[in-house]
């Protein structure tokens, strides 16, 4: 049995998961999911793929029935309300609550379609915040009774001074947090760092009746209530992006601990994503959604490969060069495993994944397996453990690998690359232009950047023309 050790952000040390678990006492994992107001951007996909890979490893290690994975949907949000209000103003039928539900349903469907395309398994449970309002009200009431929260002007706030360890998780003192954070200074707060558990809702927006008036929950109480309801007072793993460390996870720990819950034992955070070495942002023009990439023809499996090539605790840089290389590698691997039944996963791949989910080391081992060790049956099983080389993700490669076409495309790609290298020295690009034009007429896409040259077949490409070009007869 593979030993699984994970870096615990809370203790700043690697900790081993239990040796044995069962369906009656499963490994339990909660991951903070998306706020469903729009399409998931590429950065949103990183935690999905990180924890999906961990989920696959845990299922392999303990058995599918001995793992329970929960990832929530936050569907209480001003941006969802804003879209629903615009639709209502434009004449859409239905109440505002119905339009909000419609928008949330729509966005959740998008999310599922996009993450399915990346090979992510659905969690065991996907709770929506609006289905757990009663549990949030009950937890908020209990925190007031225990002296850890107070009601003021229709709000309920958590009293951070009532919890001595507040700030220990993120390594900050309350004074530091006040100085460095954007906190709402409100007359009803006893302390600027006190955070909202419940807040009023105006009559023209959705709200729920509570002991403190009509309102809605604060963000942090949502995850604590859903995790407690679905996983119990304590569970094994809590995950999310490191942007959630403070204030979201700090506040979750405070309120759940003050309830007397053991809450999560191991806390995991993935690092953020960059694009071509820069933070992804709309102002830089490098912001795109998962759907944008898929519609541009980037296969979901390629996105997954690039993401997993970097260890989850290191920043991940999405580049065109990495995308092109991932596509080339995966085409080669898929050609090698064609018609092969999967064997057992390689021991070194399992060991790498068991060592704090070291997907970078695991993929390096897959490269070794593809070159020599183990054979295609082991390569296939080991890659599939990471959600790669799955049959359902392979249609993109099959379209460009009929018969000997894959090898011809690789040869032509090398030919074009060599021609461009010569042209860079001679400044005569006529051969590059000629070959590029022939390939495009044959129904192949030619992608060229400063770093890479790639030839990708489009659906319905002309195999006979490809053959003629490879023989110099075009």
């Amino acid at each position: 049995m593979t030993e699984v050790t994970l870096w615990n952000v809370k203790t700043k040390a690697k900790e081993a998961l239990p040796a044995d678990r069962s369906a009656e006492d499963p490994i339990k994992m909660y991951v903070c999911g998306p706020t469903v107001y729009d399409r998931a951007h590429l950065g949103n996909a990183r935690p999905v793929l990180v924890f999906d890979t961990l989920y696959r490893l845990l299922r392999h290690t303990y058995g599918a029935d001995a793992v329970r994975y929960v990832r929530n949907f936050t569907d209480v949000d001003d941006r969802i309300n804003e879209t629903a209000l615009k639709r209502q103003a434009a004449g859409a039928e239905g109440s505002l609550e119905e339009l909000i539900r419609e928008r949330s349903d729509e966005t959740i469907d998008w999310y599922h379609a996009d993450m399915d395309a990346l090979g992510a398994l659905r969690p065991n449970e996907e709770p929506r915040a609006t289905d757990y309002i009663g549990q949030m009200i009950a937890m908020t009431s209990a925190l007031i009774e225990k002296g850890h929260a107070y009601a003021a002007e229709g709000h309920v706030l958590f009293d951070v001074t009532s919890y001595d360890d507040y700030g220990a998780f993120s390594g900050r003192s309350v004074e530091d947090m006040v100085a460095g954070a954007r906190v709402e200074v409100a007359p009803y707060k006893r302390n600027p760092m006190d955070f909202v558990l419940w807040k009023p809702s105006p009559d023209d927006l959705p709200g729920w009746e509570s002991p403190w008036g009509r309102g809605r929950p604060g963000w942090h109480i949502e995850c604590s209530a859903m995790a407690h309801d679905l996983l119990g007072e304590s569970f094994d793993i809590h995950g999310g992006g490191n942007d959630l460390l403070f204030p979201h996870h700090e506040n979750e720990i405070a309120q759940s601990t003050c309830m007397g819950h053991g809450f999560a034992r191991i806390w995991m955070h993935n690092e953020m994503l960059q694009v071509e070495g820069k933070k992804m942002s709309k102002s830089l023009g490098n912001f795109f959604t998962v759907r944008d990439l898929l519609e541009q023809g980037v296969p979901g499996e390629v996105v997954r490969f690039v993401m997993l090539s970097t260890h989850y605790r290191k920043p991940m840089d999405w580049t065109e060069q990495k995308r092109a290389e991932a596509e080339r590698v995966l085409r080669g691997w898929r050609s090698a495993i064609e018609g092969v039944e999967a064997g057992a996963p390689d021991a070194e791949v399992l060991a790498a994944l068991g060592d704090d989910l070291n997907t970078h080391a695991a993929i390096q081992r897959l490269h070794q397996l593809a070159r020599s060790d183990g054979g295609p049956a082991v390569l296939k099983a080991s890659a599939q453990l990471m959600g790669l080389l799955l049959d359902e993700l392979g249609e993109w490669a099959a379209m460009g690998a009929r018969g000997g076409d894959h090898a011809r495309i690789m040869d032509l790609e090398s030919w074009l690359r060599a021609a461009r290298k010569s042209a860079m020295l001679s400044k005569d690009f006529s051969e590059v232009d000629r070959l590029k034009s022939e390939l495009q007429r044959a129904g192949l896409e030619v992608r060229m950047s400063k770093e890479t040259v790639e030839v990708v077949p489009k659906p319905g490409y002309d195999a006979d023309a490809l053959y003629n070009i490879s023989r110099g007869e075009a």
Side-chain angles (χ1 to χ4, degrees):
M1 183 174 178
T2 304
E3 182 183 46
V4 180
T5 61
L6 301 170
W7 179 262
N8 189 349
V9 174
K10 191 172 185 178
T11 61
K12 296 179 175 57
K14 284 185 182 179
E15 297 186 17
L17 291 178
D20 294 300
R21 282 295 178 86
S22 64
E24 292 72 31
D25 181 26
I27 290 286
K28 299 176 183 178
M29 178 168 69
Y30 185 95
V31 174
C32 291
T35 300
V36 286
Y37 66 93
D38 207 345
R39 288 278 188 187
H41 61 68
L42 188 60
N44 298 142
R46 193 175 193 198
V48 173
L49 295 179
V50 165
F51 292 103
D52 176 70
T53 306
L54 178 57
Y55 182 42
R56 290 174 180 274
L57 174 65
L58 297 175
R59 285 163 60 94
H60 174 83
T61 302
Y62 296 99
D65 293 338
V67 184
R68 192 170 188 203
Y69 174 22
V70 177
R71 186 184 65 216
N72 72 293
F73 288 118
T74 296
D75 59 347
V76 181
D77 184 78
D78 288 336
R79 290 163 293 189
I80 301 172
N81 295 344
E82 182 182 356
T83 299
L85 286 166
K86 287 179 180 178
R87 290 182 176 181
Q88 188 178 59
E93 294 183 0
S95 66
L96 181 59
E97 287 78 8
E98 290 170 338
L99 293 172
I100 287 172
R101 187 75 178 192
E102 179 183 283
R103 175 59 172 174
S104 299
D105 289 345
E106 174 183 59
T107 313
I108 289 171
D109 287 345
W110 289 347
Y111 186 84
H112 278 148
D114 292 347
M115 299 309 129
D116 289 352
L118 304 185
L121 298 171
R122 303 276 179 94
N124 301 107
E125 302 276 357
E126 294 184 286
R128 296 168 66 136
T130 52
D131 292 334
Y132 289 79
I133 300 296
Q135 290 88 331
M136 296 170 201
I137 291 173
M139 185 173 283
T140 301
S141 295
L143 286 168
I144 293 175
E145 291 173 7
K146 292 174 181 289
H148 295 291
Y150 57 94
E153 298 182 24
H155 297 74
V156 179
L157 298 114
F158 183 88
D159 180 2
V160 297
T161 64
S162 73
Y163 177 52
D164 291 339
D165 289 334
Y166 190 74
F169 180 65
S170 56
R172 314 177 191 197
S173 68
V174 173
E175 291 74 18
D176 289 340
M177 288 185 279
V178 171
R182 296 177 181 175
V183 295
E184 181 187 5
V185 178
Y188 48 80
K189 283 189 176 185
R190 296 176 184 172
N191 185 301
M193 289 306 300
D194 291 350
F195 58 87
V196 172
L197 302 175
W198 188 264
K199 57 186 177 182
S201 283
D203 293 338
D204 60 342
L205 288 178
W208 293 264
E209 294 303 324
S210 79
W212 319 285
R214 185 174 180 277
R216 57 178 178 159
W219 175 33
H220 313 301
I221 197 70
E222 294 176 13
C223 285
S224 283
M226 287 185 282
H228 176 257
D229 191 82
L230 293 168
L231 297 178
E233 291 193 357
S234 63
F235 51 96
D236 300 279
I237 302 164
H238 195 311
N242 71 351
D243 57 323
L244 299 179
L245 190 150
F246 181 85
H248 187 50
H249 289 167
E250 184 80 64
N251 292 350
E252 276 191 79
I253 289 172
Q255 61 204 12
S256 293
T257 302
C258 288
M259 283 291 296
H261 302 164
F263 210 46
R265 183 168 70 86
I266 294 177
W267 288 79
M268 298 176 65
H269 293 133
N270 63 272
E271 258 286 357
M272 295 295 98
L273 175 134
Q274 299 175 323
V275 176
E276 301 290 351
K278 298 179 180 179
K279 182 179 179 180
M280 187 170 70
S281 70
K282 292 180 180 179
S283 62
L284 293 175
N286 65 354
F287 179 94
F288 43 87
T289 66
V290 172
R291 181 53 48 177
D292 290 335
L293 284 180
L294 296 173
E295 291 181 350
Q296 290 166 17
V298 179
E301 185 177 36
V302 169
V303 177
R304 186 181 187 101
F305 184 100
V306 174
M307 290 276 193
L308 297 184
S309 295
T310 300
H311 190 278
Y312 79 91
R313 287 197 288 118
K314 293 184 177 180
M316 210 295 293
D317 191 14
W318 174 273
T319 69
E320 176 62 19
Q321 183 175 2
K322 287 181 180 179
R323 182 211 57 77
E325 180 62 21
E327 193 164 325
R328 184 160 31 256
V329 167
L330 287 168
R331 283 187 187 279
W333 289 0
R334 283 196 170 274
S335 178
I337 66 165
E338 188 173 356
V340 173
E341 291 293 327
D346 176 70
E348 290 187 37
V349 171
L350 283 168
L353 295 176
D355 182 13
D356 194 29
L357 202 65
N358 193 340
T359 56
H360 172 76
I363 285 180
Q364 294 307 304
R365 178 57 180 164
L366 293 182
H367 283 292
Q368 294 176 353
L369 292 171
R371 287 194 294 268
S372 58
D373 298 349
V378 176
L379 170 64
K380 185 174 184 178
S382 304
Q384 288 186 340
L385 180 62
M386 301 176 67
L388 300 166
L389 302 187
L390 301 169
D391 292 342
E392 58 268 29
L393 295 184
E395 184 178 351
W396 69 273
M399 290 192 300
R402 298 203 305 261
D405 291 356
H406 176 71
R408 293 191 186 101
I409 291 167
M410 294 298 100
D411 287 344
L412 289 167
E413 190 177 275
S414 297
W415 185 1
L416 181 58
R417 191 178 296 111
R420 191 178 74 154
K421 186 175 181 180
S422 296
M424 296 291 286
L425 297 173
S426 67
K427 308 303 180 186
D428 179 3
F429 286 84
S430 58
E431 176 62 10
V432 174
D433 294 339
R434 183 195 69 79
L435 183 55
K436 182 178 177 181
S437 295
E438 294 293 344
L439 292 169
Q440 289 172 333
R441 276 198 291 270
L444 293 99
E445 181 181 356
V446 178
R447 301 172 179 172
M448 302 178 74
S449 68
K450 289 182 179 180
E451 296 84 11
T452 64
V453 172
E454 187 180 14
V455 176
V456 180
K458 298 178 181 179
Y461 70 91
D462 189 336
D464 292 334
L466 175 62
Y467 175 73
N468 292 334
I469 296 171
S470 69
R471 290 171 57 87
E473 299 175 358

